[in-house]
Amino acid sequence: MPLVAGVDSSTQSCKVVIRDADTGALVRQGRAVHPEGTEVDPQAWWEALHTAIAAAGGLDDVSALSVGGQQHGMVCLDEDGRVVRPALLWNDTRSAKAATDLTEQLGAQAWADAVGLVPVASFTITKLRWLAEHEPEHAARVAAVCLPHDWLTWKLSGSSDIRDLVTDRSDASGTGYFDPRANNYRRDLLMLAFGRDLLLPKVAAPAEAVRGNGSLILGPGGGDNAAAGFGVDAGDDAVVSLGTSGTVFARSRTAPADPSGIVAGFADMTGQFLPLVCTLNAARILDATARVLGVDLPRLSELALQAEPGAEGVTLVPYFEGERTPNLPDATGAIHGVTLANATPANFARAAVEGMLSGLAEGLNALAAQGCSVSGVRIVGGAAQSEAVRRIAPTVFGVPVVVPAPGEYVADGAARQAAWVLTGADTPPVFSPAERPERFEAPLTAGLAERYTEAAQHYLRR
Ligand SMILES: Nc1ncnc2c1ncn2[C@@H]1O[C@H](COP(=O)(O)OP(=O)(O)O)[C@@H](O)[C@H]1O
Ligand SMILES: O=C(CO)[C@@H](O)[C@H](O)COP(=O)(O)O
């Protein structure tokens, strides 16, 4: 019974699962927290990874490991492999102007055609432009740029030579300088943004073993959304992930080129594509609302389920951290439609859940417009543990919702990739879930989408 490990180095924490490579059965797991903030020293991820591995009982009996990680973060390394400055994360919006400038330089359609996405502050390429413009002394020292999961895989390999950096197609496709259709870097775009070329990680094939460490085989890993999609094996359903980010994505054989920038044409972990819509505001909206109401998360869920669908007209626009989709980096959150009669904790709790999900419902429609199958939705991520989220989701999405048993689906996808690398087979192993998923159906709440769009439009009209 060989064992494999999967890692999810996500925004808020690091999770490690250790699974049986043949059956996929969970053997043990561990986790550790990451620091707060949108700028983080990668060393903190390395330390959290070690804490999580130790909590999972170590790797002595593990044959292969893959890392899934938060996408887009800019990790800059100098000639000797030292980190030049703290990494700017996917949810850091300081490069919003760089994103606008880059988009204007080429035009949105040209970006969508070239790399499947239109620059917004999340993408690595805009962070490189920001660095070149605002920190020239740091920019001058940069020899290589990589992503959080690439850096952790490289550290695990024991190398300090930047020429050993490896990434995979799914995470490379979120940089803004990789064309997932041709499977090539677009160094011309990197140079347009940064002013000169840089060493970039080699892009490994989906099940290619990369430089290992002793007897531990390393897989290429992937972006966290692609890993979650691989871990939950959603078939024709779209997947909604509710972590720090809210994402909605679906597997596709074709790559979208959406000039509106709503749907990003990422790659998946198997050689296909992963059209994806991402918001900056998901689980933390519930954390913040619980804090404001002075309750814990289970109580917030009870309150939300006490309210009527539509929260008697209370509408929460969840742009607490600015927003990425729609592209409003300076926006703030708002509550609309409040009256003396409807100002209750239950309505505020429900409005938070409905508002968090409404932006993703718009994303689901955008995926459908790109030809993706969205007849059902699977929900994963931390906030999927909320009973209110599970029950309210079909009333917002208008399609049946399936919630797999609570688990670490990013880490599971990484573990499944590690098992694939270990077997060397043409197709990935099938990891059957130990528990049946729960299914939720409920009528769409009439008027909710219109009220949400009207409330959100206040920003777009400004
Ligand atoms: N029962 C719950 N109800 C609502 N939110 C929850 C619940 N349990 C955990 N969460 C939230 O899930 C989030 C963490 O989810 P996770 O998917 O690990 O995030 P990330 O991948 O961004 O690090 C936290 O904001 C946490 O408050
Ligand atoms: O930016 C994106 C996807 O484009 C985010 O999904 C990040 O990949 C972070 O994921 P979480 O840590 O919030 O799960």
Side-chain angles (χ1 to χ4, degrees):
M1 162 182 110
L3 298 181
V4 288
V7 175
D8 174 11
S9 178
S10 70
T11 314
Q12 294 188 47
S13 61
C14 182
K15 304 113 181 176
V16 173
V17 299
I18 295 178
R19 290 189 172 267
D20 181 309
D22 297 328
T23 65
L26 181 65
V27 177
R28 46 188 209 258
Q29 59 187 322
R31 64 187 295 144
V33 292
H34 282 162
E36 286 280 331
T38 61
E39 177 177 304
V40 171
D41 182 347
Q43 186 63 26
W45 303 328
W46 183 233
E47 284 161 17
L49 174 61
H50 281 294
T51 306
I53 288 172
L59 297 177
D60 287 351
D61 52 355
V62 170
S63 303
L65 177 150
S66 288
V67 181
Q70 53 175 313
Q71 296 186 249
H72 317 305
M74 177 183 70
V75 181
C76 292
L77 303 176
D78 71 11
E79 204 54 65
D80 299 320
R82 285 183 300 247
V83 173
V84 171
R85 76 175 314 292
L88 295 187
L89 305 194
W90 63 278
N91 52 354
D92 189 289
T93 53
R94 76 187 72 178
S95 58
K97 178 161 184 315
T100 307
D101 292 348
L102 285 167
T103 304
E104 281 171 2
Q105 266 182 283
L106 285 191
Q109 186 70 61
W111 279 101
D113 290 340
V115 287
L117 46 87
V118 181
V120 289
S122 290
F123 299 142
T124 328
I125 192 165
T126 70
K127 299 178 191 301
L128 284 168
R129 166 64 70 89
W130 179 90
L131 189 72
E133 286 180 345
H134 291 85
E135 296 184 352
E137 69 294 353
H138 282 146
R141 284 182 48 214
V142 180
V145 62
C146 66
L147 299 166
H149 112 259
D150 312 342
W151 186 78
L152 285 171
T153 306
W154 178 70
K155 291 284 283 182
L156 282 166
S157 78
S159 175
S160 55
D161 184 341
I162 53 177
R163 287 166 302 186
D164 290 330
L165 284 163
V166 175
T167 191
D168 88 307
R169 208 174 141 259
S170 71
D171 227 7
S173 68
T175 57
Y177 43 82
F178 179 78
D179 173 356
R181 276 172 290 195
N183 286 324
N184 283 334
Y185 279 120
R186 288 290 305 258
R187 288 182 179 277
D188 56 328
L189 300 179
L190 172 71
M191 287 191 273
L192 175 80
F194 193 62
R196 66 182 168 89
D197 203 0
L198 289 170
L199 188 144
L200 297 172
K202 178 195 151 196
V203 184
E208 183 179 334
V210 306
R211 189 183 193 274
N213 192 347
S215 60
L216 183 67
I217 295 170
L218 292 174
D224 55 359
N225 291 287
F230 195 53
V232 77
D233 214 2
D236 287 338
D237 280 353
V239 177
V240 166
S241 168
L242 299 171
T244 312
S245 64
T247 60
V248 52
F249 54 90
R251 256 180 82 178
S252 170
R253 289 187 184 281
T254 54
D258 176 9
S260 76
I262 294 172
V263 178
F266 294 157
D268 80 345
M269 264 167 65
T270 69
Q272 296 189 15
F273 297 93
L274 198 78
L276 179 146
V277 180
C278 179
T279 69
L280 287 187
N281 297 287
R284 281 177 161 169
I285 297 306
L286 305 189
D287 296 340
T289 308
R291 203 166 56 238
V292 169
L293 295 179
V295 297
D296 60 12
L297 289 170
R299 180 65 187 145
L300 184 80
S301 173
E302 283 170 14
L303 283 170
L305 290 171
Q306 282 166 12
E308 292 297 319
E312 294 186 273
V314 180
T315 304
L316 181 139
V317 181
Y319 302 160
F320 291 21
E321 292 238 272
E323 191 43 275
R324 159 169 162 187
T325 316
N327 185 15
L328 299 166
D330 300 322
T332 48
I335 303 181
H336 292 253
V338 183
T339 65
L340 279 179
N342 68 15
T344 64
N347 281 334
F348 278 49
R350 181 144 191 143
V353 176
E354 290 179 344
M356 174 188 75
L357 294 173
S358 290
L360 292 165
E362 291 183 344
L364 199 62
N365 294 336
L367 285 183
Q370 291 291 325
C372 295
S373 166
V374 297
S375 52
V377 159
R378 268 165 212 242
I379 302 189
V380 298
Q385 292 172 64
S386 158
E387 183 72 11
V389 167
R390 297 198 286 259
R391 296 202 175 279
I392 293 171
T395 73
V396 180
F397 294 147
V399 295
V401 164
V402 168
V403 184
E408 299 300 343
Y409 287 95
V410 176
D412 289 348
R416 187 177 175 212
Q417 184 199 62
W420 192 12
V421 172
L422 193 62
T423 62
D426 290 342
T427 52
V430 177
F431 280 5
S432 302
E435 288 174 54
R436 285 170 66 84
E438 273 190 285
R439 188 180 166 86
F440 297 89
E441 289 191 57
L444 184 69
T445 301
L448 179 65
E450 292 76 10
R451 266 196 294 112
Y452 178 81
T453 305
E454 168 64 23
Q457 286 288 328
H458 283 277
Y459 293 100
L460 297 172
R461 278 199 291 262
R462 270 185 204 165

